[in-house]
Each structure stands twice: as structure tokens, then as C-alpha cells.
Amino acid sequence: MAIHADSAQAMYEAMKKKLSRVVPEPELKIKAEVAYEVNRLKEERGAIILGHNYMEPALFHTVPDEVGDSLELARKAAMTDKNPIVFCGVRFMAETAKILNPDRLVLLPAKKAGCSLAEGITAEDVRQLRRRYPGVPIVTYINTYADVKAEVDICCTSSNAKRVVESLDSDTVIFLPDEYLATNVAKETGKTILVANKQDVYEAKPANGDMPKGIIGWTARCEVHEKYTVEDIANVRKQFPDVYVLAHPECSEEVVNAADYAGSTTQMTKHVQETNAPHYLILTECSMGDNIIADNPDKDILRLCSVRCPHMNEITLEEVLHALRHDEQAIEVPEDIRVRAKVSLERMLAVGPARD
Ligand code: 13P
Ligand code: SF4
């Protein structure tokens, strides 16, 4: 629940109470003043702020009207009638909000805020796959740009990927662009992962012309989650044998297998809230661990984390204030691309809320 305060001093007091374990004191004072001003301006303008779970704690707990994972924020963006929409997340998320709300001003408080997955595939790559595997349904992870979404049949997020793949009812599915998520979804759906490198993608079709059965993957990876290893988990388990390990499904199959639970950012957050382990280790972006620590003072969350997403890190309270004051950076999506991308997003939204 975001902090509400009627003065900068009250904001500082409330932030200190909630965030003193995760935000240094001198920073709290400065951030409180900015957060107070953001909320004042947001109200004056009738804006809505959406915040991804990876936002830094001083932002996450003070200014968003709604927080959540990619799927929840896409749903909120589709439902809101407020204007402008300030999207505190990376570019593909703000683009998703614009695709669903073409008549609203969607602001991304950052110059670029990219994503290694979104940068790992182009619309032309998808067209080539379509030619190579005619008739095979193509799913893309929401972590892609609008022109890629425009070429595929349906989108998915980490929370509903299994359900989306199953909804296609096809022996063969192309799943783009995250190599690790594709492998983890193949396991969850009982399908074979056919390929996980670019060369093989083009060679997977047998010479006799039959379509291969299983999930055809791609080669992009999340630059944050690929850093976690099985050794990281083993080292922590040695010191804390009763630790409960959660991993995002953008981690490798080996890491997900070595963990106790895998799920989207919100699914992991809820799982910590709803369970009672002596210690937790959360293998995802660092700020989310800090946000969970702030919301769960009674739980022991181990702080192994050293991987901050550099793209999410571009969004700060100061940038949000700048965005609201100057209407920057306004997201634009060419109309022909937007219309086609919207179809694959709406198909996803129609599939259902989550994995199970
Ligand atoms: P979620 O949909 O789980 O929030 O994931 C978004 C993301 O970028 C994870 O790295
Ligand atoms: Fe992209 Fe990984 Fe950053 Fe998420 S954490 S935005 S997948 S680079």
C-alpha cells in the first residue's frame, strides 16, 4: 500500500518507519520531498502512476497507485480512465500501456529503459520463423517491443505462460525470445524443448518436411537472471539448510530446479507473504527483495542480492517528477503496428489471470 502524507515532513516520517532497513537515512530525507511533490502533482493533473515490483523502495512504496508484475500492470493499464499514465517500469511495459490506450498520454520516466530480452529479437526474426514454420502458433513474452508483438499470435508473461501455451492446443509452439523461460515452460507443459540456439532454430525442421513436436525457442536471456547459478543456491543452503528459495522463471532450468518455488514477481511476493519459512532467498532483481523486506518486517529475507536491473534502475523519483512536469518521455507506437500488437495482447488478456 502506497504511503499517503499531507506534508513532506509527514512523508519523511512514514518512509522512515517503513524503509529505514532498506534506504539510507540521508537519502530518505531527500526522497521524501520528491515523493511528496510527485503525489501533489499527480493529483493536480489527474494522473495515474503504475509501478513494477522492481522499482527502488523509495519510489515503490510512495507514489504508484498500482504496483504489480507485467501482467497485473498490463491489466491495470487496460482498465484505467486516468490521463496521463506514468509508467514506472521499462520501455516495453510503457509501450504495452500505450498499445492498450492509444488516446492517452503514456509517460516513461527514463531516456531508454530497455531490456536485454526485448533487444534480443526483431520483427524480421519473427517473419523468418513464420516462413520457416508455416501454421505453427507463435507466442512472445511480453518483454518485447511493439513491432515484435505485431508479428506474433499471442503474448504471455511469466505468470501465465503455461496457460497461454496450453490454450493454443498445438503439438508445436514457437516461444520467443527467452531461452530460459521457454525451457521452463516446456517442462511445465510436458513438452520437449527442441532448440535453444539460433542456428538450431533454423535446422529443427526435419528433412522429410514433418513439423517437429515441442517448443521451439530462441536465444535471448535476461541479463539479470542469467547471473544466478546452482552454486549460489548450494552455498546458501550450506549455511542455512532450512532456507526457502524462490526463483524467477527467467533463471536457467538448473536454477529453477534447485529452487523451492518459481513464479512471476508478484507470485513470489505473495508466496513469501503466505508462507512461514525460517529464511527466504529470492533470486531476482535486488530492489524487489528490498520491497519485500520493507513489507514483511517479521520475515528473514537473506540479502545475497547483488544484481540490480540497469534498465529498471533508470527510473527514479526525480525522473518521475520530471516526467510529470514536462510530459517526458511520451511513448509513441505507429498505428499500423499498434493495431496488430493489440490483437496479440488482447488474446493474452482473454486467456486468464495466471498460471494455475
Ligand atoms: P514479471 O512479469 O514477473 O514482473 O517479470 C518482468 C520482468 O522483467 C522480470 O525480469
Ligand atoms: Fe529485462 Fe531482465 Fe531487466 Fe526484467 S530484469 S527488465 S527481463 S533485463
Side-chain angles (χ1 to χ4, degrees), residues 16 18 74 88 165 167-169 218 236 259 277 306 328:
K16 195 169 158 187
K18 183 151 207 176
C88 296
V165 167
S167 77
L168 297 169
D169 198 21
W218 192 249
V236 174
S306 58
E328 289 179 4

Side-chain angles (χ1 to χ4, degrees), residues 52 54 69-70 92-93 141 143 157-158 225 248 250 264-265 312:
H52 186 262
Y54 288 168
D69 62 17
S70 317
F92 73 81
M93 297 178 178
Y141 194 25
N143 298 36
T157 74
S158 58
H225 293 96
H248 196 277
E250 288 169 10
S264 78
T265 54
M312 293 282 183

